[in-house]
Amino acid sequence: MSGSAITPWVVGNWKMNPMRADAKQLVQELKQLLQDHVIDESQCHIGVAPISLALSNVQAQLSAGNRTAQDLSRIAGTGAYTGEISAELLKDSGIDFVLVGHSERREIFGDSPAIVNEKVKNAIDAELTVIYCVGESLEQRENGQAEQTVLQQICDIASVVQADQWERVVVAYEPIWAIGTGKTASPADAQ
């Protein structure tokens, strides 16, 4: 890695949790922590990615830099798409960041590279910052394919991200093999 400074990101993805009362308490505790321990955005970006139902409530309580959507629709704009939330609707609601390519979306919900590309393009076109999740499975890691897998995932979106748009993409290394296994990725793995 070069000598350039990278500002770290810490984003809490709530996944499909918690219940409303617990979410309210969690936000209050986070808000208090952020007030007690002011972190300059140039030192670390902090975000919260709550479930869609809690997004407006969290948005009302936290500063703009902290609000992140967990996903977005592959469909742009508005229309008759039951249950979908477009990039434009997120932006109109004051959301500036969105997770795209999370391993659960790829593995459980079938977000193929083509679907991920549509989501990335829609997000960037709506002026959202994409937190693009990349990572390898345990099998890929054990077969020496970790770097190749991650690089391919980055190359997958290169066709929809123009040179001047990469500033709207944050690459988040998400080692799939470490999710819920008790294993952790080392700083060297992330590098």
Side-chain angles (χ1 to χ4, degrees):
M1 185 176 150
S2 70
S4 65
I6 295 176
T7 304
W9 285 68
V10 177
V11 178
N13 180 3
W14 290 8
K15 301 185 179 246
M16 198 167 72
N17 299 293
M19 294 297 188
R20 187 171 40 196
D22 294 331
K24 184 176 180 181
Q25 179 180 345
L26 191 57
V27 169
Q28 288 302 325
E29 290 172 4
L30 176 61
K31 188 175 175 181
Q32 188 62 53
L33 275 171
L34 293 174
Q35 287 172 352
D36 293 346
H37 306 283
V38 178
I39 299 171
D40 188 289
E41 194 172 313
S42 66
Q43 300 296 315
C44 182
H45 297 283
I46 296 176
V48 175
I51 60 172
S52 296
L53 290 171
L55 199 51
S56 293
N57 188 32
V58 170
Q59 172 189 358
Q61 296 183 55
L62 296 176
S63 65
N66 302 113
R67 301 181 302 239
T68 305
Q70 290 184 5
D71 194 30
L72 74 159
S73 179
R74 63 191 280 195
I75 308 294
T78 59
Y81 304 101
T82 302
E84 293 295 291
I85 302 173
S86 71
E88 293 83 358
L89 289 171
L90 289 171
K91 189 66 175 181
D92 185 59
S93 295
I95 305 304
D96 291 315
F97 304 96
V98 62
L99 299 175
V100 179
H102 194 281
S103 62
E104 292 161 357
R105 298 294 318 172
R106 293 176 194 258
E107 292 177 9
I108 298 170
F109 299 101
D111 281 10
S112 65
I115 291 170
V116 169
N117 278 356
E118 290 174 5
K119 290 180 176 189
V120 168
K121 182 176 183 339
N122 290 342
I124 290 173
D125 287 349
E127 298 183 359
L128 294 172
T129 295
V130 173
I131 301 173
Y132 183 59
C133 303
V134 298
E136 77 283 1
S137 67
L138 182 58
E139 181 181 356
Q140 290 166 325
R141 181 178 177 78
E142 289 176 345
N143 290 332
Q145 299 171 325
E147 188 172 323
Q148 176 187 355
T149 299
V150 169
L151 288 173
Q152 182 59 55
Q153 291 168 341
I154 293 170
C155 288
D156 286 345
I157 66 167
S159 65
V160 296
V161 180
Q162 304 305 311
D164 63 336
Q165 295 174 324
W166 281 101
E167 65 188 21
R168 293 192 111 11
V169 177
V170 175
V171 177
Y173 177 58
E174 174 202 19
I176 301 165
W177 53 268
I179 298 173
T181 64
K183 298 178 183 182
T184 58
S186 70
D189 290 325
Q191 288 296 342

